[in-house]
Amino acid sequence: MQKIIAKTGEIIFSSSKGIIQIDIQQRILPTTKYLIITHLTPLILAKLQKNTDPELKIKVSYELYYLLQKLQRVRLLEPINQFQQFQIIPVGFTQQFGEISLTAYRNDDSLTGSLALLIKTNEQTLGYCAAFALAGPHLKRIHRWQKIFRQAGITLFLTSQTMFQPAAPNSFSGEVGLLHHWEKFLNRHQGLLGVQLSPWNPERLQRYLVLAAAHQRKVFLEPHFANLLSHFSERTTDWTTQKTATIEQAGQVNGVWQLKKQQAVIPATAVFIDPACQAADELTLILERLSEPQQQKLLQQLGQPQLQII
């Protein structure tokens, strides 16, 4: 049976196979046997890095597992404790945990590898998605899981309060708004410029590079970032590692130079800082919030389940 712990808001299910916990609101419960991570936030990552329970089974999407693996390999992420305990949860295939079944579907909330979950118990069928975009390049993913939830006849839909909080002053209208911000910066600063980019979304990194190329700007990446993109990019865009180039060479082609964290400026240039580098939670930066009419439309699309905000 599903229940939510009042003090921490943790979502847990009791099954004959053990306690199943969905994501982390405050902490990993000591009784949890299976931890399902549907998206990554700074808090969730911090708890995963500190996990010392050798019996805990952590399940994530293939995309998120691959990203975490590569970030550690190229030293853009401190090693995660017990990473060998991570298991991939397949998309679209029902997983059985005793009398509880769980099916994961790809979601789009601007974070790599995020999932929506359809959960069936002996007593009810419910859907869970912590957060999702209202527009963007992967909107079909959202429409698909919403349709599946409706067809499954969910009686309860769980989502996070992130979807209902007022928009932050520095938020963007999805991925398109963020990239438009980047393009305006390119237009305003025609000479050599520096950038500090977030490594958490390689797909977005690739879009940054595509826009730079469209403006005839060559990108010079810090080696760790270059190594990361080598795992995700087919080199359809033009970028060079800083191992083989100097700032002076970048200036000759009005290049875009990736700064290390300790660098504040480079000579005669503006500096673009990816807002995701500074956001405490990238979800609050990117996602649009659900207005009252959008809430009603969502519930209608899901078959009018009860809404529960965690």
Side-chain angles (χ1 to χ4, degrees):
M1 178 179 177
Q2 172 259 344
K3 67 176 182 178
I4 299 177
I5 305 300
K7 289 184 178 180
T8 63
E10 304 300 344
I11 305 172
I12 66 168
F13 296 84
S14 299
S15 77
S16 58
K17 297 293 185 180
I19 298 295
I20 306 163
Q21 180 175 340
I22 311 295
D23 288 329
I24 306 169
Q25 309 303 321
Q26 296 291 334
R27 63 192 178 105
I28 303 173
L29 298 179
T31 56
T32 297
K33 183 174 181 180
Y34 301 96
L35 176 62
I36 315 295
I37 299 297
T38 70
H39 66 289
L40 203 60
T41 65
L43 181 142
I44 290 176
L45 177 61
K47 298 300 181 183
L48 292 177
Q49 287 179 313
K50 294 178 181 178
N51 170 51
T52 56
D53 183 355
E55 302 299 322
L56 181 65
K57 295 178 174 61
I58 303 170
K59 295 182 177 291
V60 298
S61 67
Y62 169 78
E63 290 83 1
L64 182 53
Y65 181 90
Y66 188 77
L67 175 63
L68 291 173
Q69 181 188 58
K70 300 310 176 189
L71 284 169
Q72 292 177 91
R73 179 173 295 180
V74 302
R75 299 181 182 178
L76 282 169
L77 178 66
E78 292 296 322
I80 297 177
N81 283 347
Q82 314 292 340
F83 191 66
Q84 70 277 7
Q85 295 170 216
F86 280 55
Q87 300 173 353
I88 294 171
I89 184 168
V91 170
F93 293 91
T94 299
Q95 305 295 294
Q96 205 69 34
F97 300 87
E99 60 277 23
I100 295 174
S101 67
L102 184 150
T103 313
Y105 299 96
R106 286 189 179 89
N107 177 43
D108 178 23
D109 62 359
S110 296
L111 299 179
T112 298
S114 64
L115 298 172
L117 302 179
L118 179 65
I119 305 163
K120 295 183 179 181
T121 73
N122 289 336
E123 300 174 347
Q124 65 181 147
T125 299
L126 60 149
Y128 169 73
C129 185
F132 52 94
L134 302 181
H138 299 305
L139 197 57
K140 288 183 178 179
R141 294 180 181 177
I142 298 170
H143 289 163
R144 183 170 183 268
W145 64 251
Q146 288 179 348
K147 180 180 179 181
I148 291 171
F149 284 11
R150 181 178 68 251
Q151 292 175 338
I154 64 171
T155 56
L156 180 67
F157 179 65
L158 295 168
T159 190
S160 74
Q161 59 182 341
T162 302
M163 297 297 295
F164 302 90
Q165 294 172 344
N170 62 340
S171 62
F172 297 91
S173 56
E175 290 288 329
V176 174
L178 180 57
L179 292 172
H180 183 59
H181 173 63
W182 163 238
E183 188 167 28
K184 286 195 296 185
F185 197 90
L186 287 172
N187 285 328
R188 289 173 184 164
H189 305 285
Q190 296 299 318
L192 169 66
L193 61 92
V195 292
Q196 289 182 359
L197 302 176
S198 168
W200 289 103
N201 191 329
E203 189 175 355
R204 184 188 301 149
L205 275 176
Q206 183 67 18
R207 293 193 194 109
Y208 278 132
L209 300 186
V210 168
L211 269 178
H215 287 263
Q216 290 80 50
R217 310 292 286 274
K218 187 162 183 171
V219 180
F220 296 83
L221 290 174
E222 195 268 332
H224 294 318
F225 275 72
N227 291 337
L228 177 68
L229 272 180
S230 67
H231 294 289
F232 292 90
S233 171
E234 296 179 357
R235 291 306 296 265
T236 55
T237 52
D238 190 15
W239 50 268
T240 300
T241 177
Q242 293 172 13
K243 283 184 177 179
T244 58
T246 64
I247 291 180
E248 288 73 19
Q249 290 170 316
Q252 294 170 9
V253 294
N254 294 333
V256 178
W257 187 267
Q258 167 75 32
L259 300 176
K260 293 183 179 179
K261 286 185 178 180
Q262 62 267 29
Q263 291 175 296
V265 295
I266 57 177
T269 186
V271 177
F272 173 87
I273 300 178
D274 183 349
C277 291
Q278 299 177 314
D281 186 340
E282 189 173 347
L283 285 174
T284 64
L285 171 75
I286 300 296
L287 290 175
E288 297 179 58
R289 273 48 174 197
L290 285 171
S291 64
E292 185 64 33
Q294 288 169 331
Q295 294 176 37
Q296 297 305 318
K297 182 179 179 181
L298 169 66
L299 293 177
Q300 184 178 8
Q301 290 171 331
L302 295 175
Q304 299 296 347
Q306 180 185 353
L307 176 66
Q308 186 164 347
I309 303 170
I310 55 173

